[in-house]
Amino acid sequence: MFYYLSQLLLDWSSGTPWADRLSPLRVFRYITFRSAAAAVTALVLSLWLGPWVINWLKQLKFGQDYSDKAETAGGMAARLLSKKGTPTMGGILIIVALNLTTLLWAQWNTLVQLTLLSVVVLTGLGFYDDYAKITQQTGGGAKSHVKLWVQFALAIFIGVYLWRVNNTHKLISEIIVPFYKYPVVTNSFVGLVLAALTIVGSSNAVNLTDGLDGLAIGCTLIVAFVFLVLTYLAGNSKTAEYLQIPYVGGAGELTVFCAAMIGAGLGFLWYNCHPAQMFMGDTGSLALGGALGIIAVLLHQPLLLVIAGGVFVMEAFSVILQTSWFRFTRRRYGVGRRIFLMAPIHHHFEKKGWYESQVVMRFYILGILFAVVALSTLKLR
């Protein structure tokens, strides 16, 4: 909105005595300025609204008082018991700050609109899931197939739109592989399937990571920084040509979105770091994961998200491997066996005696290493 207001004032003052006085408004044309302003705005908003949101959630009794599956995990019982009653659905704080800030500082092009659409839809899905858990007090929440149906419906809608309606940059038909400068596949159907799997997989992977204080949001911030760099480079024709990465017109406005995500996430982390004053819940994790997935799709880089979000991949695959192996051995031997002491994998390390803060900080370190590798693909190709 600020961009449009500034340009309106500049156009109005053109040829008038006010032109020189209003000329500083040209700074709103720079993505770097608006991205920095978005990060600060989102940070201030989330820090300011945080206490209000925590009190509001407590008044509504939106706390996690039901027995989580992990509470039966031996030495973890006392730690998890101490977290009972902590407000969940804190992702509302992130989403409100993120959406308001993006609307204030970004140009509302198609890429931004699609990303905000995915955030709103997945926030609603996550809110429904969290609300079901609270009202049922069982921890089950919404049925898995219901969540998957909604996620795939959204992902397919976005993929089809990019393929059939907005195919200017061939966002779906050309598939780029990290460390290689040319498209490896130019097939729209394959691209559509990959786009859907990226959005759904990213949304659920971040959701699975949300199990320790500050873990999911911290790792999300690291990946968001990677995409802040990539969106800026991909949206600039000169840097995209120099680095030989796909140029995507309008992708620079996603830099503003990523900056807003970083600011809102940092503000939330202020209240979510150990000991957490509120939890993100599915309300935030599903939406943030979906947003990262769609940005990767819009940049022609869905496979790069596998590297940048390496921690999320570890978490998701630990659950898949654990579940698959348990079912296989139960059919084969009559008794299910496990690969990890507990899945997702962050609970495995807790069971091995790591403190919660140790797990979180070490996963942050891994996340930074994955981010460095992902950014290195810009030159190593």
Side-chain angles (χ1 to χ4, degrees):
M1 184 173 68
F2 289 149
Y3 170 81
Y4 296 106
L5 288 175
S6 65
Q7 300 314 299
L8 183 64
L9 289 172
L10 286 172
D11 292 340
W12 169 80
S13 65
S14 180
T16 69
W18 287 91
D20 289 338
R21 297 181 181 180
L22 295 178
S23 61
L25 292 178
R26 292 191 180 94
V27 72
F28 285 88
R29 296 175 180 173
Y30 294 100
I31 291 174
T32 49
F33 170 77
R34 287 188 285 114
S35 297
V40 173
T41 302
L43 175 60
V44 172
L45 267 177
S46 55
L47 287 175
W48 175 54
L49 292 174
W52 183 86
V53 171
I54 293 172
N55 291 331
W56 177 61
L57 293 173
K58 285 182 177 179
Q59 290 173 5
L60 294 175
K61 297 182 179 179
F62 282 173
Q64 184 172 306
D65 293 319
Y66 53 85
S67 296
D68 193 277
K69 292 179 181 179
E71 290 192 32
T72 59
M76 295 172 60
R79 179 186 67 79
L80 288 160
L81 185 63
S82 68
K83 294 187 178 186
K84 277 194 171 184
T86 303
T88 187
M89 295 189 184
I92 293 175
L93 174 63
I94 307 173
I95 303 307
V96 169
L98 172 60
N99 287 353
L100 284 179
T101 302
T102 302
L103 291 174
L104 285 175
W105 291 104
Q107 294 185 48
W108 306 335
N109 62 24
T110 302
L111 305 185
V112 172
Q113 291 169 0
L114 285 174
T115 306
L116 289 178
L117 171 65
S118 69
V119 168
V120 171
V121 172
L122 292 173
T123 298
L125 176 62
F127 183 89
Y128 169 71
D129 189 30
D130 285 334
Y131 186 76
K133 291 177 182 177
I134 293 169
T135 54
Q136 297 168 8
Q137 288 298 317
T138 62
K143 300 295 183 182
S144 298
H145 68 273
V146 173
K147 292 194 290 186
L148 286 174
W149 272 111
V150 174
Q151 289 172 319
F152 271 109
L154 172 67
I156 292 172
F157 167 78
I158 292 173
V160 171
Y161 179 87
L162 294 173
W163 175 23
R164 304 295 297 178
V165 180
N166 188 26
N167 199 31
T168 306
H169 302 290
K170 299 181 180 179
L171 296 175
I172 295 297
S173 58
E174 292 186 351
I175 299 174
I176 305 295
V177 174
F179 301 107
Y180 191 69
K181 65 182 71 174
Y182 304 110
V184 294
V185 177
T186 55
N187 184 286
S188 297
F189 178 75
V190 175
L192 177 61
V193 172
L194 181 59
L197 291 175
T198 300
I199 296 172
V200 175
S202 177
S203 179
N204 286 302
V206 175
N207 185 32
L208 290 171
T209 307
D210 186 26
L212 300 178
D213 294 349
L215 178 58
I217 189 61
C219 293
T220 299
L221 290 173
I222 294 170
V223 180
F225 177 78
V226 172
F227 282 114
L228 180 141
V229 175
L230 291 174
T231 51
Y232 181 77
L233 296 175
N236 186 301
S237 58
K238 293 182 179 179
T239 56
E241 182 181 3
Y242 172 72
L243 294 171
Q244 295 184 309
I245 59 176
Y247 165 68
V248 181
E253 295 305 316
L254 291 175
T255 309
V256 181
F257 177 88
C258 291
M261 185 187 296
I262 292 172
L266 285 172
F268 176 79
L269 183 58
W270 184 272
Y271 303 104
N272 185 238
C273 62
H274 185 73
Q277 295 175 259
M278 63 177 163
F279 300 138
M280 182 190 303
D282 291 3
T283 305
S285 59
L286 290 178
L288 293 178
L292 293 176
I294 187 175
I295 292 174
V297 170
L298 294 175
L299 295 180
H300 288 271
Q301 302 284 1
L303 297 177
L304 186 62
L305 181 58
V306 177
I307 299 176
V311 171
F312 301 140
V313 174
M314 286 169 45
E315 298 277 14
F317 267 93
S318 69
V319 174
I320 294 172
L321 289 173
Q322 184 89 319
T323 303
S324 301
W325 183 247
F326 184 85
R327 291 176 178 174
F328 171 76
T329 53
R330 185 172 58 184
R331 287 196 305 266
R332 183 74 178 271
Y333 305 107
V335 178
R337 300 176 183 176
R338 292 175 173 83
I339 300 174
F340 306 102
L341 297 176
M342 181 178 289
I345 198 169
H346 56 257
H347 288 318
H348 168 80
F349 291 110
E350 277 196 298
K351 289 279 286 181
K352 289 182 71 68
W354 291 17
Y355 291 108
E356 180 176 4
S357 57
Q358 283 182 308
V359 178
V360 173
M361 291 306 300
R362 288 169 180 174
F363 274 46
Y364 282 178
I365 294 171
L366 287 176
I368 293 171
L369 292 175
F370 285 127
V372 171
V373 174
L375 290 173
S376 73
T377 64
L378 293 172
K379 291 299 292 181
L380 301 177
R381 51 182 49 239

